[in-house]
Amino acid sequence: MPRQFFVGGNFKMFDPPNGTIKSITDIVHNLNGAPLDPKTEVVVAPPALFILLVREHLKAELEVCSQNVFDKPNGAFTGEISAEQLTDSGIKWTLIGHSERRVVMGETDEFIASKTKAALDGSLSVILCIGETLEQRDSGRTIDVVTRQLNAVKAKIGDWSKIVVAYEPVWAIGTGKVATTEQAQEVHKAIREWLGKEVGKEAAEKTRVIYGGSVNEKNCGELARQDDVDGFLVGGASLKPACEFCLFLFFSAGTGGEC
Ligand code: PGA
């Protein structure tokens, strides 16, 4: 059975006009009206402040994702949100391991693995982000790095059926420097091989491995044609004023096109 194409929009904390109540409401309105490919799973991750607003107004076929979740089910952890609180609010997905959290917030492989376990225990599905820095790529360590990141999660969880793996090279995020189709396919294939060896044949066949890092309407078509690219995690381009309607359309169809 072919893997269902998956498109995630990661709405970050950019300056206005992005990231305001108005801009988020406009995106939701556009998405609700967009003739998205019904075969594609579309999930959007607004800042925590807007999660309920988006869930309330976004059409039911599209899912909402948190950008973060804590690794404890409850307790005195000021500023954190638990998996249970998210599921109680109708949120079915969370992002974990984004490089901005690994690099800027100092989240370790182990903490990311604990968060993944807590999310799955709390019935969330997880977009698990992994990827190498430019220095790691330049020193030939890309596969070692993504393998180390995956191994840390494997040490804490056994069931990968609710995980989408997002390969996001750190050097490609928000830089306009997209990985070449060969670079993306090579790492996606290695991730699938890792799944086959470390988790099982079924996980290798069924787990979606999506690409993130400067994806836009022009480069998504060619990337989507790679055997092991099962979708995208889109940051900046998912917020382009007035364009997100077309972008989601292109991403969702996996075709690419001119806006
Ligand atoms: P970008 O971000 O598309 O702006 O590079 C991707 C991401 O952070 O997931």
mmCIF file of all heavy atoms in Angstrom, residues 5-56:
data_model
loop_
_atom_site.group_PDB
_atom_site.id
_atom_site.type_symbol
_atom_site.label_atom_id
_atom_site.label_comp_id
_atom_site.label_asym_id
_atom_site.label_seq_id
_atom_site.Cartn_x
_atom_site.Cartn_y
_atom_site.Cartn_z
ATOM 1 N N PHE A 5 0.590 10.771 1.236
ATOM 2 C CA PHE A 5 1.400 11.989 1.195
ATOM 3 C C PHE A 5 1.021 12.875 2.384
ATOM 4 O O PHE A 5 -0.148 12.939 2.776
ATOM 5 C CB PHE A 5 1.161 12.714 -0.131
ATOM 6 C CG PHE A 5 2.318 13.570 -0.564
ATOM 7 C CD1 PHE A 5 3.488 12.992 -1.018
ATOM 8 C CD2 PHE A 5 2.225 14.950 -0.505
ATOM 9 C CE1 PHE A 5 4.562 13.788 -1.413
ATOM 10 C CE2 PHE A 5 3.300 15.752 -0.894
ATOM 11 C CZ PHE A 5 4.451 15.167 -1.347
ATOM 12 N N PHE A 6 2.007 13.538 2.955
ATOM 13 C CA PHE A 6 1.788 14.289 4.199
ATOM 14 C C PHE A 6 2.393 15.683 4.058
ATOM 15 O O PHE A 6 3.558 15.820 3.686
ATOM 16 C CB PHE A 6 2.478 13.533 5.341
ATOM 17 C CG PHE A 6 2.272 14.132 6.700
ATOM 18 C CD1 PHE A 6 1.329 13.592 7.574
ATOM 19 C CD2 PHE A 6 3.023 15.226 7.118
ATOM 20 C CE1 PHE A 6 1.144 14.135 8.846
ATOM 21 C CE2 PHE A 6 2.834 15.781 8.385
ATOM 22 C CZ PHE A 6 1.899 15.222 9.247
ATOM 23 N N VAL A 7 1.603 16.710 4.357
ATOM 24 C CA VAL A 7 2.139 18.072 4.309
ATOM 25 C C VAL A 7 1.870 18.775 5.635
ATOM 26 O O VAL A 7 0.718 18.851 6.081
ATOM 27 C CB VAL A 7 1.515 18.889 3.153
ATOM 28 C CG1 VAL A 7 2.034 20.327 3.180
ATOM 29 C CG2 VAL A 7 1.851 18.257 1.814
ATOM 30 N N GLY A 8 2.931 19.250 6.248
ATOM 31 C CA GLY A 8 2.796 19.994 7.500
ATOM 32 C C GLY A 8 3.197 21.441 7.279
ATOM 33 O O GLY A 8 4.162 21.733 6.571
ATOM 34 N N GLY A 9 2.441 22.354 7.876
ATOM 35 C CA GLY A 9 2.801 23.778 7.836
ATOM 36 C C GLY A 9 3.252 24.184 9.231
ATOM 37 O O GLY A 9 2.523 23.982 10.195
ATOM 38 N N ASN A 10 4.456 24.707 9.338
ATOM 39 C CA ASN A 10 5.007 25.095 10.640
ATOM 40 C C ASN A 10 5.003 26.623 10.694
ATOM 41 O O ASN A 10 5.878 27.272 10.133
ATOM 42 C CB ASN A 10 6.423 24.524 10.759
ATOM 43 C CG ASN A 10 7.061 24.809 12.099
ATOM 44 O OD1 ASN A 10 6.401 25.251 13.038
ATOM 45 N ND2 ASN A 10 8.361 24.556 12.198
ATOM 46 N N PHE A 11 3.965 27.166 11.352
ATOM 47 C CA PHE A 11 3.803 28.634 11.396
ATOM 48 C C PHE A 11 4.619 29.178 12.555
ATOM 49 O O PHE A 11 4.212 29.094 13.698
ATOM 50 C CB PHE A 11 2.334 29.009 11.638
ATOM 51 C CG PHE A 11 1.343 28.462 10.639
ATOM 52 C CD1 PHE A 11 -0.016 28.481 10.934
ATOM 53 C CD2 PHE A 11 1.725 27.950 9.409
ATOM 54 C CE1 PHE A 11 -0.958 28.000 10.038
ATOM 55 C CE2 PHE A 11 0.795 27.467 8.504
ATOM 56 C CZ PHE A 11 -0.559 27.485 8.824
ATOM 57 N N LYS A 12 5.725 29.792 12.229
ATOM 58 C CA LYS A 12 6.599 30.221 13.331
ATOM 59 C C LYS A 12 6.261 31.617 13.825
ATOM 60 O O LYS A 12 5.336 32.253 13.360
ATOM 61 C CB LYS A 12 8.051 30.157 12.864
ATOM 62 C CG LYS A 12 8.441 28.754 12.461
ATOM 63 C CD LYS A 12 9.889 28.656 12.106
ATOM 64 C CE LYS A 12 10.130 27.421 11.271
ATOM 65 N NZ LYS A 12 11.512 27.300 10.845
ATOM 66 N N MET A 13 7.119 32.094 14.762
ATOM 67 C CA MET A 13 6.860 33.355 15.455
ATOM 68 C C MET A 13 7.437 34.527 14.657
ATOM 69 O O MET A 13 8.226 35.306 15.177
ATOM 70 C CB MET A 13 7.533 33.258 16.827
ATOM 71 C CG MET A 13 7.137 34.271 17.846
ATOM 72 S SD MET A 13 8.037 33.995 19.394
ATOM 73 C CE MET A 13 9.707 34.387 18.974
ATOM 74 N N PHE A 14 7.078 34.603 13.363
ATOM 75 C CA PHE A 14 7.640 35.685 12.561
ATOM 76 C C PHE A 14 6.965 37.008 12.896
ATOM 77 O O PHE A 14 5.887 37.040 13.484
ATOM 78 C CB PHE A 14 7.464 35.385 11.077
ATOM 79 C CG PHE A 14 8.346 34.261 10.598
ATOM 80 C CD1 PHE A 14 7.797 33.133 10.020
ATOM 81 C CD2 PHE A 14 9.718 34.337 10.740
ATOM 82 C CE1 PHE A 14 8.599 32.097 9.581
ATOM 83 C CE2 PHE A 14 10.531 33.301 10.306
ATOM 84 C CZ PHE A 14 9.970 32.178 9.718
ATOM 85 N N ASP A 15 7.610 38.099 12.435
ATOM 86 C CA ASP A 15 7.050 39.441 12.645
ATOM 87 C C ASP A 15 5.699 39.574 11.969
ATOM 88 O O ASP A 15 5.450 38.899 10.977
ATOM 89 C CB ASP A 15 7.961 40.493 11.987
ATOM 90 C CG ASP A 15 9.269 40.607 12.729
ATOM 91 O OD1 ASP A 15 9.316 40.199 13.890
ATOM 92 O OD2 ASP A 15 10.224 41.087 12.112
ATOM 93 N N PRO A 16 4.869 40.498 12.448
ATOM 94 C CA PRO A 16 3.664 40.809 11.696
ATOM 95 C C PRO A 16 4.063 41.207 10.270
ATOM 96 O O PRO A 16 5.143 41.785 10.120
ATOM 97 C CB PRO A 16 3.080 42.017 12.436
ATOM 98 C CG PRO A 16 3.614 41.864 13.832
ATOM 99 C CD PRO A 16 4.965 41.241 13.692
ATOM 100 N N PRO A 17 3.309 40.927 9.199
ATOM 101 C CA PRO A 17 1.924 40.476 9.261
ATOM 102 C C PRO A 17 1.766 38.976 9.527
ATOM 103 O O PRO A 17 0.647 38.493 9.543
ATOM 104 C CB PRO A 17 1.391 40.811 7.861
ATOM 105 C CG PRO A 17 2.589 40.659 6.984
ATOM 106 C CD PRO A 17 3.742 41.136 7.813
ATOM 107 N N ASN A 18 2.853 38.231 9.696
ATOM 108 C CA ASN A 18 2.687 36.807 9.997
ATOM 109 C C ASN A 18 2.610 36.612 11.503
ATOM 110 O O ASN A 18 3.216 37.349 12.268
ATOM 111 C CB ASN A 18 3.868 36.009 9.464
ATOM 112 C CG ASN A 18 3.952 36.081 7.965
ATOM 113 O OD1 ASN A 18 2.935 36.049 7.293
ATOM 114 N ND2 ASN A 18 5.148 36.208 7.444
ATOM 115 N N GLY A 19 1.915 35.569 11.903
ATOM 116 C CA GLY A 19 1.911 35.238 13.322
ATOM 117 C C GLY A 19 1.007 36.107 14.163
ATOM 118 O O GLY A 19 1.140 36.141 15.383
ATOM 119 N N THR A 20 0.104 36.855 13.535
ATOM 120 C CA THR A 20 -0.885 37.619 14.302
ATOM 121 C C THR A 20 -2.228 36.900 14.212
ATOM 122 O O THR A 20 -2.411 36.010 13.367
ATOM 123 C CB THR A 20 -1.064 39.024 13.708
ATOM 124 O OG1 THR A 20 -1.484 38.862 12.348
ATOM 125 C CG2 THR A 20 0.224 39.822 13.743
ATOM 126 N N ILE A 21 -3.168 37.315 15.048
ATOM 127 C CA ILE A 21 -4.502 36.696 14.988
ATOM 128 C C ILE A 21 -5.046 36.840 13.566
ATOM 129 O O ILE A 21 -5.596 35.909 12.987
ATOM 130 C CB ILE A 21 -5.455 37.356 16.009
ATOM 131 C CG1 ILE A 21 -4.999 36.992 17.423
ATOM 132 C CG2 ILE A 21 -6.908 36.931 15.781
ATOM 133 C CD1 ILE A 21 -5.807 37.639 18.528
ATOM 134 N N LYS A 22 -4.853 38.028 12.970
ATOM 135 C CA LYS A 22 -5.405 38.263 11.642
ATOM 136 C C LYS A 22 -4.748 37.353 10.601
ATOM 137 O O LYS A 22 -5.428 36.714 9.792
ATOM 138 C CB LYS A 22 -5.222 39.745 11.272
ATOM 139 C CG LYS A 22 -5.436 40.027 9.810
ATOM 140 C CD LYS A 22 -6.294 41.217 9.543
ATOM 141 C CE LYS A 22 -6.707 41.407 8.090
ATOM 142 N NZ LYS A 22 -6.609 40.320 7.186
ATOM 143 N N SER A 23 -3.420 37.266 10.633
ATOM 144 C CA SER A 23 -2.762 36.468 9.589
ATOM 145 C C SER A 23 -3.115 34.988 9.739
ATOM 146 O O SER A 23 -3.337 34.284 8.756
ATOM 147 C CB SER A 23 -1.249 36.674 9.611
ATOM 148 O OG SER A 23 -0.684 36.049 10.738
ATOM 149 N N ILE A 24 -3.204 34.520 10.974
ATOM 150 C CA ILE A 24 -3.530 33.105 11.192
ATOM 151 C C ILE A 24 -4.982 32.847 10.748
ATOM 152 O O ILE A 24 -5.274 31.843 10.097
ATOM 153 C CB ILE A 24 -3.356 32.731 12.694
ATOM 154 C CG1 ILE A 24 -1.908 32.958 13.131
ATOM 155 C CG2 ILE A 24 -3.851 31.318 12.970
ATOM 156 C CD1 ILE A 24 -0.933 31.848 12.939
ATOM 157 N N THR A 25 -5.869 33.792 11.062
ATOM 158 C CA THR A 25 -7.272 33.624 10.664
ATOM 159 C C THR A 25 -7.385 33.615 9.140
ATOM 160 O O THR A 25 -8.150 32.839 8.564
ATOM 161 C CB THR A 25 -8.132 34.763 11.271
ATOM 162 O OG1 THR A 25 -7.853 34.819 12.657
ATOM 163 C CG2 THR A 25 -9.614 34.517 11.088
ATOM 164 N N ASP A 26 -6.608 34.463 8.474
ATOM 165 C CA ASP A 26 -6.642 34.495 7.001
ATOM 166 C C ASP A 26 -6.166 33.160 6.423
ATOM 167 O O ASP A 26 -6.745 32.642 5.474
ATOM 168 C CB ASP A 26 -5.730 35.615 6.461
ATOM 169 C CG ASP A 26 -6.341 36.993 6.685
ATOM 170 O OD1 ASP A 26 -7.543 37.068 7.053
ATOM 171 O OD2 ASP A 26 -5.614 37.990 6.500
ATOM 172 N N ILE A 27 -5.108 32.602 6.991
ATOM 173 C CA ILE A 27 -4.597 31.323 6.485
ATOM 174 C C ILE A 27 -5.656 30.230 6.670
ATOM 175 O O ILE A 27 -5.907 29.432 5.764
ATOM 176 C CB ILE A 27 -3.289 30.925 7.202
ATOM 177 C CG1 ILE A 27 -2.169 31.888 6.836
ATOM 178 C CG2 ILE A 27 -2.877 29.494 6.835
ATOM 179 C CD1 ILE A 27 -0.869 31.634 7.573
ATOM 180 N N VAL A 28 -6.261 30.221 7.842
ATOM 181 C CA VAL A 28 -7.290 29.206 8.109
ATOM 182 C C VAL A 28 -8.431 29.353 7.096
ATOM 183 O O VAL A 28 -8.900 28.371 6.514
ATOM 184 C CB VAL A 28 -7.807 29.334 9.569
ATOM 185 C CG1 VAL A 28 -9.060 28.505 9.782
ATOM 186 C CG2 VAL A 28 -6.710 28.910 10.538
ATOM 187 N N HIS A 29 -8.823 30.581 6.834
ATOM 188 C CA HIS A 29 -9.897 30.839 5.877
ATOM 189 C C HIS A 29 -9.494 30.312 4.484
ATOM 190 O O HIS A 29 -10.267 29.631 3.813
ATOM 191 C CB HIS A 29 -10.161 32.352 5.842
ATOM 192 C CG HIS A 29 -11.173 32.755 4.837
ATOM 193 N ND1 HIS A 29 -12.531 32.614 5.050
ATOM 194 C CD2 HIS A 29 -11.038 33.262 3.576
ATOM 195 C CE1 HIS A 29 -13.178 33.018 3.979
ATOM 196 N NE2 HIS A 29 -12.300 33.413 3.064
ATOM 197 N N ASN A 30 -8.268 30.616 4.078
ATOM 198 C CA ASN A 30 -7.805 30.151 2.766
ATOM 199 C C ASN A 30 -7.738 28.632 2.693
ATOM 200 O O ASN A 30 -8.136 28.025 1.692
ATOM 201 C CB ASN A 30 -6.424 30.736 2.451
ATOM 202 C CG ASN A 30 -6.510 32.203 2.117
ATOM 203 O OD1 ASN A 30 -7.605 32.710 1.829
ATOM 204 N ND2 ASN A 30 -5.395 32.892 2.165
ATOM 205 N N LEU A 31 -7.216 28.030 3.761
ATOM 206 C CA LEU A 31 -7.122 26.559 3.764
ATOM 207 C C LEU A 31 -8.499 25.914 3.702
ATOM 208 O O LEU A 31 -8.697 24.911 3.013
ATOM 209 C CB LEU A 31 -6.397 26.079 5.021
ATOM 210 C CG LEU A 31 -4.876 26.162 4.987
ATOM 211 C CD1 LEU A 31 -4.311 25.833 6.362
ATOM 212 C CD2 LEU A 31 -4.305 25.219 3.942
ATOM 213 N N ASN A 32 -9.443 26.507 4.409
ATOM 214 C CA ASN A 32 -10.799 25.938 4.398
ATOM 215 C C ASN A 32 -11.402 25.966 3.003
ATOM 216 O O ASN A 32 -12.193 25.102 2.637
ATOM 217 C CB ASN A 32 -11.708 26.711 5.366
ATOM 218 C CG ASN A 32 -11.427 26.349 6.808
ATOM 219 O OD1 ASN A 32 -10.799 25.328 7.085
ATOM 220 N ND2 ASN A 32 -11.873 27.178 7.729
ATOM 221 N N GLY A 33 -10.984 26.960 2.208
ATOM 222 C CA GLY A 33 -11.558 27.090 0.865
ATOM 223 C C GLY A 33 -10.731 26.401 -0.206
ATOM 224 O O GLY A 33 -11.158 26.288 -1.351
ATOM 225 N N ALA A 34 -9.534 25.954 0.143
ATOM 226 C CA ALA A 34 -8.627 25.406 -0.877
ATOM 227 C C ALA A 34 -9.041 23.995 -1.286
ATOM 228 O O ALA A 34 -9.331 23.165 -0.428
ATOM 229 C CB ALA A 34 -7.202 25.378 -0.327
ATOM 230 N N PRO A 35 -9.089 23.729 -2.593
ATOM 231 C CA PRO A 35 -9.408 22.369 -3.028
ATOM 232 C C PRO A 35 -8.200 21.451 -2.869
ATOM 233 O O PRO A 35 -7.532 21.096 -3.837
ATOM 234 C CB PRO A 35 -9.775 22.561 -4.508
ATOM 235 C CG PRO A 35 -9.023 23.775 -4.928
ATOM 236 C CD PRO A 35 -8.793 24.629 -3.707
ATOM 237 N N LEU A 36 -7.876 21.112 -1.626
ATOM 238 C CA LEU A 36 -6.687 20.295 -1.366
ATOM 239 C C LEU A 36 -6.913 18.877 -1.850
ATOM 240 O O LEU A 36 -8.050 18.415 -1.937
ATOM 241 C CB LEU A 36 -6.386 20.293 0.129
ATOM 242 C CG LEU A 36 -6.127 21.668 0.745
ATOM 243 C CD1 LEU A 36 -6.004 21.561 2.254
ATOM 244 C CD2 LEU A 36 -4.872 22.299 0.164
ATOM 245 N N ASP A 37 -5.816 18.209 -2.160
ATOM 246 C CA ASP A 37 -5.917 16.827 -2.606
ATOM 247 C C ASP A 37 -6.438 15.973 -1.444
ATOM 248 O O ASP A 37 -5.771 15.884 -0.402
ATOM 249 C CB ASP A 37 -4.517 16.363 -3.029
ATOM 250 C CG ASP A 37 -4.505 14.947 -3.549
ATOM 251 O OD1 ASP A 37 -5.494 14.217 -3.297
ATOM 252 O OD2 ASP A 37 -3.521 14.574 -4.193
ATOM 253 N N PRO A 38 -7.598 15.350 -1.593
ATOM 254 C CA PRO A 38 -8.144 14.601 -0.448
ATOM 255 C C PRO A 38 -7.281 13.409 -0.049
ATOM 256 O O PRO A 38 -7.415 12.876 1.048
ATOM 257 C CB PRO A 38 -9.527 14.136 -0.942
ATOM 258 C CG PRO A 38 -9.496 14.290 -2.420
ATOM 259 C CD PRO A 38 -8.441 15.285 -2.774
ATOM 260 N N LYS A 39 -6.360 13.026 -0.921
ATOM 261 C CA LYS A 39 -5.497 11.885 -0.594
ATOM 262 C C LYS A 39 -4.316 12.302 0.295
ATOM 263 O O LYS A 39 -3.572 11.476 0.781
ATOM 264 C CB LYS A 39 -4.971 11.240 -1.873
ATOM 265 C CG LYS A 39 -6.096 10.598 -2.717
ATOM 266 C CD LYS A 39 -5.573 9.592 -3.717
ATOM 267 C CE LYS A 39 -4.808 10.173 -4.879
ATOM 268 N NZ LYS A 39 -5.559 11.037 -5.795
ATOM 269 N N THR A 40 -4.139 13.615 0.440
ATOM 270 C CA THR A 40 -2.997 14.099 1.233
ATOM 271 C C THR A 40 -3.431 14.475 2.641
ATOM 272 O O THR A 40 -4.476 15.098 2.813
ATOM 273 C CB THR A 40 -2.377 15.344 0.553
ATOM 274 O OG1 THR A 40 -1.907 14.955 -0.724
ATOM 275 C CG2 THR A 40 -1.227 15.913 1.356
ATOM 276 N N GLU A 41 -2.624 14.093 3.604
ATOM 277 C CA GLU A 41 -2.900 14.488 4.984
ATOM 278 C C GLU A 41 -2.254 15.858 5.208
ATOM 279 O O GLU A 41 -1.054 16.027 4.966
ATOM 280 C CB GLU A 41 -2.280 13.432 5.906
ATOM 281 C CG GLU A 41 -2.665 13.601 7.330
ATOM 282 C CD GLU A 41 -2.326 12.352 8.163
ATOM 283 O OE1 GLU A 41 -1.654 11.437 7.652
ATOM 284 O OE2 GLU A 41 -2.738 12.329 9.327
ATOM 285 N N VAL A 42 -3.046 16.827 5.628
ATOM 286 C CA VAL A 42 -2.524 18.185 5.862
ATOM 287 C C VAL A 42 -2.671 18.542 7.341
ATOM 288 O O VAL A 42 -3.750 18.399 7.919
ATOM 289 C CB VAL A 42 -3.254 19.234 4.985
ATOM 290 C CG1 VAL A 42 -2.788 20.653 5.325
ATOM 291 C CG2 VAL A 42 -3.024 18.959 3.506
ATOM 292 N N VAL A 43 -1.573 18.979 7.922
ATOM 293 C CA VAL A 43 -1.524 19.277 9.355
ATOM 294 C C VAL A 43 -0.850 20.637 9.518
ATOM 295 O O VAL A 43 0.184 20.873 8.901
ATOM 296 C CB VAL A 43 -0.675 18.177 10.050
ATOM 297 C CG1 VAL A 43 -0.361 18.538 11.476
ATOM 298 C CG2 VAL A 43 -1.385 16.826 10.001
ATOM 299 N N VAL A 44 -1.434 21.526 10.316
ATOM 300 C CA VAL A 44 -0.776 22.826 10.508
ATOM 301 C C VAL A 44 -0.411 23.034 11.977
ATOM 302 O O VAL A 44 -1.156 22.664 12.874
ATOM 303 C CB VAL A 44 -1.625 24.014 10.000
ATOM 304 C CG1 VAL A 44 -1.798 23.945 8.499
ATOM 305 C CG2 VAL A 44 -2.970 24.105 10.700
ATOM 306 N N ALA A 45 0.756 23.638 12.176
ATOM 307 C CA ALA A 45 1.277 23.828 13.539
ATOM 308 C C ALA A 45 1.397 25.320 13.844
ATOM 309 O O ALA A 45 2.418 25.944 13.547
ATOM 310 C CB ALA A 45 2.637 23.145 13.663
ATOM 311 N N PRO A 46 0.350 25.908 14.421
ATOM 312 C CA PRO A 46 0.437 27.324 14.780
ATOM 313 C C PRO A 46 1.143 27.490 16.127
ATOM 314 O O PRO A 46 1.263 26.527 16.892
ATOM 315 C CB PRO A 46 -1.041 27.744 14.902
ATOM 316 C CG PRO A 46 -1.771 26.494 15.248
ATOM 317 C CD PRO A 46 -0.964 25.329 14.737
ATOM 318 N N PRO A 47 1.584 28.709 16.442
ATOM 319 C CA PRO A 47 2.123 28.942 17.788
ATOM 320 C C PRO A 47 1.076 28.553 18.839
ATOM 321 O O PRO A 47 -0.135 28.644 18.583
ATOM 322 C CB PRO A 47 2.375 30.457 17.806
ATOM 323 C CG PRO A 47 2.537 30.830 16.366
ATOM 324 C CD PRO A 47 1.631 29.917 15.603
ATOM 325 N N ALA A 48 1.531 28.148 20.024
ATOM 326 C CA ALA A 48 0.637 27.618 21.068
ATOM 327 C C ALA A 48 -0.556 28.536 21.340
ATOM 328 O O ALA A 48 -1.679 28.072 21.542
ATOM 329 C CB ALA A 48 1.434 27.406 22.351
ATOM 330 N N LEU A 49 -0.296 29.826 21.312
ATOM 331 C CA LEU A 49 -1.340 30.811 21.591
ATOM 332 C C LEU A 49 -2.553 30.656 20.671
ATOM 333 O O LEU A 49 -3.679 30.975 21.050
ATOM 334 C CB LEU A 49 -0.716 32.210 21.407
ATOM 335 C CG LEU A 49 -1.513 33.443 21.730
ATOM 336 C CD1 LEU A 49 -1.910 33.435 23.201
ATOM 337 C CD2 LEU A 49 -0.674 34.677 21.423
ATOM 338 N N PHE A 50 -2.310 30.184 19.451
ATOM 339 C CA PHE A 50 -3.385 30.126 18.449
ATOM 340 C C PHE A 50 -3.946 28.727 18.214
ATOM 341 O O PHE A 50 -4.791 28.541 17.340
ATOM 342 C CB PHE A 50 -2.882 30.691 17.116
ATOM 343 C CG PHE A 50 -2.358 32.092 17.202
ATOM 344 C CD1 PHE A 50 -1.074 32.404 16.790
ATOM 345 C CD2 PHE A 50 -3.155 33.112 17.707
ATOM 346 C CE1 PHE A 50 -0.577 33.694 16.872
ATOM 347 C CE2 PHE A 50 -2.673 34.412 17.794
ATOM 348 C CZ PHE A 50 -1.381 34.703 17.379
ATOM 349 N N ILE A 51 -3.482 27.753 18.969
ATOM 350 C CA ILE A 51 -3.913 26.378 18.712
ATOM 351 C C ILE A 51 -5.437 26.239 18.760
ATOM 352 O O ILE A 51 -6.051 25.673 17.858
ATOM 353 C CB ILE A 51 -3.248 25.401 19.710
ATOM 354 C CG1 ILE A 51 -1.802 25.154 19.295
ATOM 355 C CG2 ILE A 51 -3.992 24.072 19.768
ATOM 356 C CD1 ILE A 51 -1.088 24.167 20.182
ATOM 357 N N LEU A 52 -6.042 26.771 19.816
ATOM 358 C CA LEU A 52 -7.491 26.600 19.959
ATOM 359 C C LEU A 52 -8.249 27.390 18.902
ATOM 360 O O LEU A 52 -9.262 26.923 18.378
ATOM 361 C CB LEU A 52 -7.950 27.016 21.360
ATOM 362 C CG LEU A 52 -7.606 26.001 22.446
ATOM 363 C CD1 LEU A 52 -7.982 26.540 23.814
ATOM 364 C CD2 LEU A 52 -8.328 24.680 22.196
ATOM 365 N N LEU A 53 -7.749 28.580 18.584
ATOM 366 C CA LEU A 53 -8.383 29.399 17.546
ATOM 367 C C LEU A 53 -8.394 28.630 16.223
ATOM 368 O O LEU A 53 -9.414 28.535 15.538
ATOM 369 C CB LEU A 53 -7.592 30.709 17.387
ATOM 370 C CG LEU A 53 -8.050 31.648 16.284
ATOM 371 C CD1 LEU A 53 -9.267 32.450 16.750
ATOM 372 C CD2 LEU A 53 -6.925 32.608 15.883
ATOM 373 N N VAL A 54 -7.239 28.050 15.884
ATOM 374 C CA VAL A 54 -7.140 27.324 14.612
ATOM 375 C C VAL A 54 -8.024 26.074 14.659
ATOM 376 O O VAL A 54 -8.767 25.803 13.712
ATOM 377 C CB VAL A 54 -5.663 26.976 14.293
ATOM 378 C CG1 VAL A 54 -5.575 26.081 13.071
ATOM 379 C CG2 VAL A 54 -4.866 28.250 14.077
ATOM 380 N N ARG A 55 -7.977 25.347 15.773
ATOM 381 C CA ARG A 55 -8.802 24.122 15.840
ATOM 382 C C ARG A 55 -10.292 24.451 15.714
ATOM 383 O O ARG A 55 -11.045 23.721 15.078
ATOM 384 C CB ARG A 55 -8.505 23.373 17.144
ATOM 385 C CG ARG A 55 -9.184 22.027 17.318
ATOM 386 C CD ARG A 55 -8.936 21.013 16.203
ATOM 387 N NE ARG A 55 -9.579 21.338 14.945
ATOM 388 C CZ ARG A 55 -9.278 20.786 13.767
ATOM 389 N NH1 ARG A 55 -8.357 19.872 13.664
ATOM 390 N NH2 ARG A 55 -9.899 21.153 12.670
ATOM 391 N N GLU A 56 -10.675 25.580 16.288
ATOM 392 C CA GLU A 56 -12.091 25.933 16.253
ATOM 393 C C GLU A 56 -12.551 26.275 14.838
ATOM 394 O O GLU A 56 -13.661 25.947 14.441
ATOM 395 C CB GLU A 56 -12.320 27.120 17.186
ATOM 396 C CG GLU A 56 -13.788 27.346 17.501
ATOM 397 C CD GLU A 56 -13.980 28.565 18.402
ATOM 398 O OE1 GLU A 56 -13.068 28.907 19.171
ATOM 399 O OE2 GLU A 56 -15.064 29.174 18.298
#
